[in-house]
Amino acid sequence: DPRFVTFFPENNGRESGWMYVLAGWISLLGRDIASLRLLAAFVGLLTLAAVYRLGRELFDRWAGLGALAALSVLFWHVMISSHIVRLNFALLLVALAALGWARALRRGGAMRWARAGLLTGALAYSYFAAWGILAFLLLGGLILAVFRPEQRRGIALAWGAAVLVILPQFLYATTHTYLFTTRSSTVARFEATTLLANVLAWLRAWWIQGDLDDHYNLSGRAILGLTGSVVLIVGSLAASFDAWRARRAPGGALAGFV
């Protein structure tokens, strides 16, 4: 008895995008654990490809290859690519949505703007943590519309496509508010002492001691550590330098953004 559902309320609630991907995969190859882990690995590989294309679009081919090489061996992506969870799928959609906007901004064209909006709207069905990226992309489009009148038509098209995709999820959220907010209300805490303790734990988690749950982590492993910190610092410095250089060279890859 198939039906279209934008949100699954079981187990404190789940967005539906990854569920439908799993359903299609299971219908073709079955639901044994090897088959499902294979799907997770494929999603991880597609994320690598999307990140490469994004790095190449923003900077150049070598930046794309550098991002690809780093993500291929860093612990977090390797780990999550073996887990059959919707976060894995959300990472792919985030990379694709960012790529869609990058291409639309640099190259224009109604199809590219519409694709950027469709991919952005799809984030509403991936993972609630991705909604921040969804808001960032849409609000960034509004800011661009203020400063770049020549791109307002394309940005409006992207916004329209995103709203159409998001609308079913929005309607469900407004008509089933209690079910839709069960997960966030379950894990959210607003006491000052609890917030402070979590902030301190997060600061430690970056370089000192990470999550002790060994299901999604090597117990106690810091988020970045030495290797991750070096990659982050070098990458940030290189990106900043390329952004500065793009201002002096209008034909540069980043010239459309700065």
Side-chain angles (χ1 to χ4, degrees):
D1 185 21
R3 65 192 188 281
F4 176 68
V5 179
T6 65
F7 190 82
F8 292 87
E10 292 80 5
N11 194 18
N12 294 324
R14 290 289 189 277
E15 297 80 3
S16 61
W18 180 235
M19 301 291 193
Y20 286 114
V21 173
L22 281 174
W25 183 266
I26 288 170
S27 67
L28 293 174
L29 297 179
R31 58 180 180 180
D32 60 279
I33 190 64
S35 170
L36 296 178
R37 288 194 183 276
L38 181 62
L39 173 60
F42 280 156
V43 172
L45 289 172
L46 290 174
T47 303
L48 293 177
V51 167
Y52 164 74
R53 296 296 301 185
L54 178 60
R56 182 171 179 174
E57 191 71 34
L58 291 175
F59 300 100
D60 54 31
R61 181 167 63 93
W62 288 107
L65 288 172
L68 171 63
L71 199 60
S72 297
V73 298
L74 288 177
F75 169 80
W76 293 100
H77 186 71
V78 175
M79 179 274 296
I80 202 66
S81 294
S82 67
H83 284 65
I84 311 155
V85 293
R86 67 196 193 286
L87 174 59
N88 190 354
F89 183 55
L91 296 175
L92 172 60
L93 289 182
V94 166
L96 289 175
L99 177 60
W101 277 88
R103 285 183 169 175
L105 283 167
R106 288 197 62 229
R107 307 183 190 189
M111 287 300 297
R112 292 191 181 94
W113 282 111
R115 188 183 304 122
L118 293 173
L119 290 168
T120 301
L123 293 176
Y125 303 87
S126 62
Y127 190 61
F128 68 89
W131 299 347
I133 304 296
L134 189 160
F136 172 80
L137 292 173
L138 292 182
L139 291 176
L142 291 181
I143 294 172
L144 284 170
V146 172
F147 293 100
R148 298 189 181 181
E150 71 279 5
Q151 291 183 324
R152 287 176 181 171
R153 182 174 297 179
I155 293 170
L157 180 58
W159 254 83
V163 168
L164 285 176
V165 175
I166 295 169
L167 186 59
Q169 188 75 290
F170 175 79
L171 292 175
Y172 181 91
T174 55
T175 55
H176 302 79
T177 305
Y178 173 73
L179 294 175
F180 194 78
T181 58
T182 298
R183 176 164 294 276
S184 59
S185 61
T186 301
V187 302
R189 295 292 184 272
F190 298 102
E191 303 87 358
T193 54
T194 305
L195 290 174
L196 179 60
N198 275 273
V199 169
L200 293 176
W202 264 108
L203 292 176
R204 286 175 51 83
W206 286 102
W207 292 283
I208 301 173
Q209 183 186 75
D211 190 359
L212 297 177
D213 182 1
D214 59 5
H215 185 68
Y216 294 107
N217 192 21
L218 296 177
S219 184
R221 185 185 192 278
I223 294 174
L224 287 178
L226 178 61
T227 303
S229 297
V230 170
V231 171
L232 176 64
I233 293 171
V234 172
S236 298
L237 291 174
S240 299
F241 176 74
D242 270 10
W244 172 80
R245 187 174 60 178
R247 287 183 176 274
R248 303 170 61 87
L254 270 176
F257 303 93
V258 295

